Amino acid sequence: MIGSAIAAAAASTKQRDRNFFLNLLKSCTNLAQLNRTHAQIILNGLRKDLITITKLTHKLFDFKAISQAKLLFTSLSNQIAPDKFLYNVLIRGFSQKESPLDSLSIFAHLRNKTALKPDNFTYAFVVSAVSSPGFEKVGILLHGNVIASGFSSDPFVGSALVDMYMGFSEISSAYKVFEKIPERDTVLWNTMVSGLVRNCCFYEAVSVFRDMVVGGSQFDSTTLAVVLTATAELQELRTGMIIHGLALKANCHFHDHVLTGLVSFYSKCGDVVDAWLLFGLIRKPDLISYNAMISGFSCNNETESAVRLFKELLVSGEKVNSSTIVGLIPVSSPFGLLDLAHTVLGFCVKCNMVSNSSVSTALVTVYTRLNEMESARQLFDESPDKSLASWNAMISGYAQNGLTEMAISLFRKMQLLDIHPNPVTITSILSAIAQLGAPSLGKWVHDLIKKENFESNIYVSTALIDMHAKCGSIAEAQRLFYAMPEKNDVTWNAMISGYGLHGHGHEALSLFHEMLDSGVSPTGVTFLSVLYACSHAGLVEEGKKFFHSMTHDHGFKPSAEHYACMVDLLGRAGKLENALEFINKMPIQPGPGEWGALLGACMIHKDSNLACFVSDKLFALDPENVGYRVLLSNIYSVDRNYPQAASVRQVVKKRNLAKTPGCTLIEMNGHPYVFKSSDRSHPRVTAIYAMLEKLMGKMIEAGFQTETITAFHDVEDEEKELMVKVHSEKLAIAFGLIASEAGAEIRIIKNLRVCLDCHNFTKFVSKITERVIVVRDANRFHHFKDGLCSCGDYW
């Protein structure tokens, strides 16, 4: 039909008017038709008609003919005077086709080469053009132009500015723009909510939506679909159900994208049955709906249903996309599904989808969670277009698998490539630093957080609290905690756990009550952190009350970790028989956690008879764990039962079981140094051992005696003293004393539980050197000062 009209125009000798060609342009369905129409426009003398040329330019952008649109403008700009509307069409067209430099060039031409003044549409379109990372400085300059031109209160321009700042992850700047607009329309509210969701600020997105509803602003189906994404990520079932009710009330419930949002929401909240029922309400499910349901099955461990729906989609002839594959990949719970991951990878290779950033990121995530780190890194390295999410997946994978140095190294590489992190990147790298216990790295990332304006992000602030607590700065963690305007349950848990780690049991209990008073509900992790704090502070009765409250007042079913913590609480306090009775009365089968905690208590209280019984249980449950056998051997040595100690060590040798070697990390001037027992690899080894000898001389004069009772029984006492004298933490402390300024605090990290001899050694050193020494061992922090330890010799 359109072809006939064009042919008729070409055959006719009669001049056609503008309206004819405007209708003809409107009817064009492909670029070939548009080019033929353009030829007829020229032949009919309308090549300089501004309205016709504007419509033609608009259609060229619709068909993605960007270079043609640019050429048309260049060729005609000297022959006709473009009006503001044509400039806006060009700026918007280049903006939508991701040609920001062209948009800026047209904007500059309008400002500098014409007498025209930009309007609110001009500014909104050019701001939209620069709303991606890399254009931050240009965006700020444009914002200044907006303010100078008097459009800072315009909702249309405001929406573009909010979207721009969200694109830069400048959340606080987006809030400032938003709050300065007095009359906010639905589009502006939607831009704010969707921007927060894009930046993983899910709590904030729900909060803004709540303000929108309470303030009486009109929401639409787009608002509901976006905020459902936030509630799905937060897994806030009650909030999502309220939004579901609002959708019914506003007659938006049967909008396909709202139903799809509800499918995703209920799936992520674990209600896959209702999700499937809602999926059935979609009249003609599109690919997006199928993707949501496939992902819903997958994230609820219904792998067979996910694969079945995926096959159904393929049979229907629908072409799957990257989101389909990402939904099918068992990211949430991949354990036992390595074969499926391999199969999906094979399918992606065959369909040429493995290079897709989101697909490769999901596969990297699965492989890291399965500890298939080589496969994950290969996929990451081979990905041609690494998104920020893919960097996050690899860094997080390293951190979660204890490969902290690899995580930090990759993060540094990311910085060198000038790839800006987001809150997810920051929380992952803070987790790695917390594991490593490197305060200088923590300070570097903290400064970066300030630079990137991430301090207001609740996840980043929570990770900062955790990092500072685990790096020994409990005071800084406390300061950050109380400075936070809004806290979630994870934030409270991080601070309670931090107090427990430093032996501040009473502070942990007090904070728990503050948490309840603030209206934040405790979780299983909260109770675990409280019980841990009670255990390491000797608060037995308080711990028993909390365990009872957890089950009877708060309705939590204790996990194996809670039971193990209770055994540790009782055993550490010397109530070994009570601990054994507690294990025997447990409603679940006791595992290595419970028996291991009791064996540790047997070591503390030198009960070799019970240790023999407990170790038999442990050897049956975990025969390859060398730690239990070493602990039993030490218990026998303490009891001076050397033949039994030797027998246990002989089993270790025969089975070729390797004991984790003790090592200690100390950071000096931002550089980490790791010492092992009897280490002589350090460049300043002579000075270190000289300092150690000097310390030992002064300490012996002060009454120090080397604790050798757990050393090998078949060597002379002098050799035993030499063995414990060169433990890794002693070497690290000696190095700290010679490498730091007088009076400076020394911080070290030991990968194992600190031994009795080293604990006594550090107390004496803190007194004779008048230094504060902070030691983080496998269990907790010890703060040594003036010959005393914060643990009260209770660790």
Side-chain angles (χ1 to χ4, degrees):
M1 189 175 183
I2 177 67
S4 301
I6 296 170
S12 174
T13 55
K14 179 185 174 183
Q15 288 283 83
R16 302 286 183 171
D17 62 9
R18 174 200 292 162
N19 289 334
F20 173 82
F21 283 106
L22 290 177
N23 290 326
L24 204 57
L25 286 168
K26 187 178 179 181
S27 304
C28 288
T29 57
N30 55 57
L31 186 58
Q33 290 178 352
L34 188 65
N35 286 334
R36 288 163 62 192
T37 304
H38 187 189
Q40 291 304 313
I41 287 170
I42 295 170
L43 289 172
N44 281 268
L46 293 171
R47 61 191 299 268
K48 295 182 181 179
D49 183 77
L50 190 57
I51 294 174
T52 306
I53 293 303
T54 301
K55 182 65 177 177
L56 174 62
T57 304
H58 195 283
K59 290 296 285 189
L60 283 169
F61 282 118
D62 286 347
F63 295 133
K64 301 180 181 179
I66 301 171
S67 57
Q68 230 174 301
K70 192 188 300 185
L71 184 62
L72 178 64
F73 175 75
T74 304
S75 62
L76 294 177
S77 58
N78 293 326
Q79 301 176 36
I80 59 173
D83 61 3
K84 194 187 302 180
F85 188 73
L86 177 55
Y87 275 108
N88 287 348
V89 166
L90 287 160
I91 293 168
R92 181 172 183 264
F94 288 125
S95 170
Q96 290 179 327
K97 303 310 171 189
E98 298 179 2
S99 297
L101 295 178
D102 290 319
S103 282
L104 288 169
S105 176
I106 298 295
F107 176 74
H109 192 278
L110 167 65
R111 287 282 305 268
N112 302 325
K113 301 289 180 66
T114 75
L116 301 171
K117 289 186 178 181
D119 59 13
N120 59 337
F121 293 104
T122 318
Y123 280 115
F125 296 151
V126 75
V127 166
S128 295
V130 298
S131 59
S132 55
F135 288 91
E136 288 87 347
K137 290 182 180 178
V138 178
I140 293 168
L141 287 172
L142 285 172
H143 190 180
N145 284 335
V146 167
I147 294 168
S149 300
F151 292 112
S152 57
S153 298
D154 184 89
F156 190 55
V157 179
S159 293
L161 285 168
V162 166
D163 187 64
M164 179 190 76
Y165 282 119
M166 289 296 185
F168 301 155
S169 292
E170 295 274 359
I171 312 299
S172 59
S173 297
Y175 266 111
K176 287 175 184 176
V177 173
F178 179 76
E179 288 165 358
K180 286 181 179 177
I181 298 172
E183 294 183 14
R184 301 165 191 157
D185 59 13
T186 303
V187 174
L188 178 58
W189 283 99
N190 288 355
T191 304
M192 192 67 195
V193 175
S194 63
L196 289 167
V197 169
R198 285 204 320 271
N199 282 277
C200 304
C201 300
F202 304 120
Y203 277 102
E204 293 86 344
V206 174
S207 178
V208 169
F209 174 72
R210 189 179 292 115
D211 292 342
M212 180 182 185
V213 174
V214 170
S217 296
Q218 187 67 42
F219 58 84
D220 58 16
S221 60
T222 301
T223 327
L224 296 170
V226 171
V227 79
L228 278 168
T229 302
T231 52
E233 293 298 328
L234 294 170
Q235 296 181 13
E236 288 194 353
L237 183 60
R238 185 173 177 274
T239 304
M241 290 176 75
I242 291 170
I243 294 168
H244 192 172
L246 288 172
L248 287 165
K249 189 176 179 181
N251 291 321
C252 295
H253 178 261
F254 291 103
H255 287 222
D256 285 355
H257 56 293
V258 174
L259 280 171
T260 300
L262 288 166
V263 166
S264 181
F265 161 70
Y266 281 109
S267 296
K268 289 189 177 179
C269 287
D271 189 354
V272 75
V273 174
D274 277 341
W276 179 243
L277 289 172
L278 286 161
F279 179 77
L281 293 177
I282 303 173
R283 290 181 295 275
K284 286 187 177 181
D286 59 8
L287 183 58
I288 297 171
S289 304
Y290 267 102
N291 291 351
M293 196 65 245
I294 289 168
S295 176
F297 281 133
S298 183
C299 73
N300 283 281
N301 301 327
E302 296 198 16
T303 310
E304 290 184 9
S305 297
V307 173
R308 174 182 50 77
L309 197 60
F310 176 73
K311 288 179 178 177
E312 180 184 306
L313 189 60
L314 290 178
V315 169
S316 72
E318 182 75 57
K319 191 174 181 180
V320 301
N321 62 11
S322 59
S323 296
T324 323
I325 302 299
V326 171
L328 183 63
I329 296 169
V331 175
S332 58
S333 184
F335 308 103
L337 297 172
L338 183 58
D339 287 343
L340 176 60
H342 288 328
T343 303
V344 173
L345 176 57
F347 179 87
C348 293
V349 171
K350 185 179 178 180
C351 297
N352 199 28
M353 293 177 71
V354 74
S355 60
N356 180 278
S357 180
S358 58
V359 171
S360 64
T361 299
L363 285 166
V364 164
T365 304
V366 166
Y367 282 125
T368 58
R369 289 185 178 176
L370 293 170
N371 203 16
E372 297 282 333
M373 298 307 293
E374 288 185 12
S375 298
R377 187 57 190 258
Q378 184 179 347
L379 262 172
F380 175 79
D381 288 339
E382 291 176 355
S383 178
D385 182 24
K386 295 179 182 66
S387 66
L388 181 56
S390 66
W391 286 90
N392 289 348
M394 199 67 237
I395 291 169
S396 174
Y398 279 134
Q400 288 166 5
N401 285 285
L403 301 170
T404 53
E405 291 183 3
M406 294 293 287
I408 292 164
S409 173
L410 193 61
F411 181 70
R412 287 187 185 279
K413 182 178 179 181
M414 184 177 165
Q415 292 288 294
L416 289 172
L417 294 171
D418 201 28
I419 299 169
H420 287 261
N422 68 4
V424 176
T425 329
I426 297 297
T427 52
S428 295
I429 204 63
L430 284 172
S431 171
I433 292 169
Q435 291 177 53
L436 191 61
S440 65
L441 285 173
K443 185 181 182 304
W444 170 56
V445 175
H446 199 162
D447 291 340
L448 183 63
I449 289 165
K450 292 174 183 175
K451 181 183 174 184
E452 299 284 351
N453 290 320
F454 289 154
E455 287 179 296
S456 62
N457 184 282
I458 193 169
Y459 303 103
V460 170
S461 295
T462 299
L464 264 177
I465 289 167
D466 183 64
M467 183 274 293
H468 280 297
K470 287 178 179 174
C471 286
S473 301
I474 191 67
E476 179 63 11
Q478 186 182 48
R479 186 193 69 77
L480 286 167
F481 176 82
Y482 283 109
M484 285 178 67
E486 188 178 350
K487 305 171 184 71
N488 60 17
D489 60 305
V490 182
T491 314
W492 289 92
N493 291 347
M495 195 64 232
I496 292 170
S497 174
Y499 278 138
L501 195 61
H502 287 263
H504 301 329
H506 291 289
E507 289 86 345
L509 299 186
S510 176
L511 195 62
F512 174 81
H513 291 298
E514 276 188 51
M515 180 181 182
L516 294 183
D517 292 342
S518 72
V520 177
S521 299
T523 64
V525 174
T526 315
F527 284 103
L528 190 63
S529 299
V530 171
L531 289 172
Y532 178 93
C534 289
S535 176
H536 284 270
L539 305 175
V540 179
E541 293 306 314
E542 290 86 344
K544 288 162 73 174
K545 286 178 184 176
F546 272 100
F547 186 80
H548 182 273
S549 174
M550 176 179 74
T551 55
H552 292 84
D553 299 335
H554 295 275
F556 279 98
K557 186 178 179 181
S559 67
E561 288 82 4
H562 293 104
Y563 286 118
C565 215
M566 278 302 294
V567 173
D568 186 64
L569 173 79
L570 296 166
R572 195 178 291 275
K575 300 178 182 294
L576 300 181
E577 292 301 324
N578 296 84
L580 181 60
E581 183 183 354
F582 180 86
I583 289 175
N584 290 331
K585 288 183 177 180
M586 280 169 49
I588 63 171
Q589 193 71 23
E594 292 82 9
W595 291 117
L598 187 52
L599 184 62
C602 290
M603 173 64 190
I604 294 169
H605 299 286
K606 304 176 177 59
D607 190 329
S608 58
N609 291 327
L610 182 57
C612 185
F613 169 76
V614 173
S615 61
D616 285 342
K617 299 285 186 182
L618 282 166
F619 297 158
L621 288 167
D622 193 0
E624 300 303 310
N625 191 314
V626 68
Y628 300 138
R629 297 181 188 275
V630 171
L631 189 54
L632 180 62
S633 173
N634 288 341
I635 292 169
Y636 282 134
S637 294
V638 168
D639 201 32
R640 300 191 183 280
N641 190 344
Y642 297 126
Q644 285 285 43
S647 175
V648 174
R649 291 184 185 275
Q650 198 62 35
V651 172
V652 172
K653 288 180 182 178
K654 284 181 179 179
R655 294 195 178 189
N656 291 319
L657 300 176
K659 178 182 179 291
T660 303
C663 60
T664 302
L665 178 143
I666 184 170
E667 195 179 73
M668 280 289 154
N669 300 318
H671 185 79
Y673 298 90
V674 178
F675 289 88
K676 295 178 182 177
S677 185
S678 305
D679 203 335
R680 289 189 172 271
S681 62
H682 196 279
R684 301 183 69 181
V685 62
T686 304
I688 290 169
Y689 275 86
M691 172 56 76
L692 198 55
E693 287 296 329
K694 183 180 176 182
L695 288 171
M696 291 300 294
K698 288 185 177 181
M699 287 163 56
I700 289 169
E701 288 177 11
F704 174 75
Q705 287 186 333
T706 303
E707 169 61 56
T708 62
I709 201 160
T710 59
F712 297 124
H713 71 277
D714 53 352
V715 296
E716 296 298 325
D717 283 347
E718 287 185 8
E719 290 181 73
K720 289 181 183 180
E721 285 195 23
L722 183 60
M723 287 176 185
V724 296
K725 189 167 73 175
V726 288
H727 277 183
S728 61
E729 51 263 64
K730 292 178 181 177
L731 295 172
I733 290 170
F735 172 63
L737 289 168
I738 65 172
S740 62
E741 295 180 3
E745 181 180 281
I746 295 172
R747 291 186 188 182
I748 64 171
I749 296 175
K750 176 77 183 283
N751 67 327
L752 304 176
R753 182 181 183 271
V754 66
C755 72
L756 178 60
D757 181 70
C758 287
H759 194 267
N760 290 337
F761 168 87
T762 312
K763 286 200 294 184
F764 270 87
V765 172
S766 72
K767 185 173 183 178
I768 64 175
T769 62
E770 298 181 348
R771 296 276 197 122
V772 173
I773 303 172
V774 181
V775 179
R776 187 180 106 183
D777 72 0
N779 290 338
R780 55 166 295 161
F781 272 93
H782 302 260
H783 295 257
F784 297 90
K785 184 179 180 182
D786 298 329
L788 299 173
C789 180
S790 60
C791 74
D793 297 337
Y794 189 88
W795 84 101

